[in-house]
Amino acid sequence: MKYLSIMILVLFSALSATDADAQSKKLQKATFGMGCFWCSEALFQRLEGVTSVRSGFEGGDVANPSYEEVCTGTTGHAEVIEVTYDPLKIKYDELLEVFWKSHDPTTLNRQGADVGTQYRSVVFYHSEEQKQIAEKYKKELNDTKAFGKPVVTAINKAAPFYVADSYHQDYFNKNGNQPYCRMVILPKLEKLEKVFKAKLKH
């Protein structure tokens, strides 16, 4: 009986550890810079498995920078989105696929009319696994000349993330009728719906 009790305790401990491990793996973070964060946020919000998206700044030298400071290009920050996602519903490499197909990763410090280091193409990785997946993916894009020109996306270790002011959050959903949203963001969303229809929330 004592032996049975010990076995039950050992089994229960193992199950608890597995359960804790599953919980720790449940939600993960991914951080991407791909130009204006208003556009990026609107795209990733629509993906199945993405639970939240926050717009902010990362990779600079100044603590708690303002949007105005980042816009000068002097703080070293990139406009980024911090994506919280469920890896059981969407994998990191699927997020990377959306990232690379939704902006031009061959232009250094530029996306369309937006010019400056704050608009650079960058992946901030949160684990060694994310780093390896991103580097492998980038190499494949360059080896196959997927974009015709070299991919210049930086792959950097995650740095302190500073969330942008509340009026930057959920921007497209709140300001969809503004000219910028209609002219710049809407075409990106239409492309997303064509290319990644199977990955979108229903």
Side-chain angles (χ1 to χ4, degrees):
M1 190 69 186
K2 188 178 175 185
Y3 176 75
L4 186 62
S5 301
I6 291 167
M7 284 303 292
I8 288 168
L9 275 171
V10 168
L11 188 62
F12 183 73
S13 300
L15 285 170
S16 298
T18 307
D19 208 38
D21 191 44
Q23 284 299 316
S24 69
K25 284 184 176 177
K26 190 157 187 194
L27 292 180
Q28 295 182 8
K29 286 194 190 319
T31 305
F32 305 119
M34 46 192 287
C36 174
F37 51 31
W38 295 341
C39 297
S40 315
E41 176 195 61
L43 296 169
F44 281 82
Q45 280 179 331
R46 282 157 176 73
L47 297 175
E48 184 65 46
V50 169
T51 59
S52 70
V53 183
R54 296 195 302 167
S55 291
F57 318 107
E58 194 160 331
D61 312 313
V62 179
N64 295 306
S66 68
Y67 178 64
E68 291 70 27
E69 286 173 325
V70 172
C71 282
T72 66
T74 59
T75 69
H77 293 89
E79 285 195 18
V80 299
I81 52 165
E82 185 186 75
V83 179
T84 303
Y85 69 100
D86 183 347
L88 298 176
K89 293 183 179 176
I90 190 164
K91 294 185 176 71
Y92 185 66
D93 56 357
E94 292 178 291
L95 295 174
L96 282 173
E97 185 184 7
V98 175
F99 164 74
W100 266 309
K101 287 186 178 176
S102 299
H103 76 297
D104 184 351
T106 69
T107 53
L108 189 65
N109 301 327
R110 178 179 193 143
Q111 284 302 307
D114 294 329
V115 182
T117 55
Q118 67 271 33
Y119 301 115
R120 65 189 180 271
S121 176
V122 58
V123 172
F124 286 103
Y125 59 86
H126 293 263
S127 66
E128 191 60 31
E129 184 186 20
Q130 285 190 354
K131 179 187 179 184
Q132 288 173 6
I133 293 169
E135 287 180 342
K136 184 183 175 197
Y137 204 138
K138 179 182 173 180
K139 184 178 184 300
E140 283 173 5
L141 290 173
N142 282 329
D143 287 349
T144 58
K145 297 181 169 55
F147 290 94
K149 291 183 284 185
V151 170
V152 297
T153 305
I155 299 172
N156 300 332
K157 188 173 183 178
F161 170 81
Y162 300 103
V163 67
D165 290 327
S166 58
Y167 73 90
H168 290 296
Q169 310 302 326
D170 209 24
Y171 191 85
F172 177 80
N173 293 332
K174 292 175 181 173
N175 303 280
N177 289 324
Q178 287 196 5
Y180 183 87
C181 291
R182 290 205 310 269
M183 291 169 62
V184 180
I185 302 178
L186 199 56
K188 285 179 177 277
L189 289 175
E190 287 167 351
K191 180 186 173 184
L192 183 82
E193 285 174 12
K194 284 180 189 169
V195 179
F196 296 104
K197 193 173 182 180
K199 296 192 196 319
L200 301 184
K201 291 172 181 169
H202 302 294

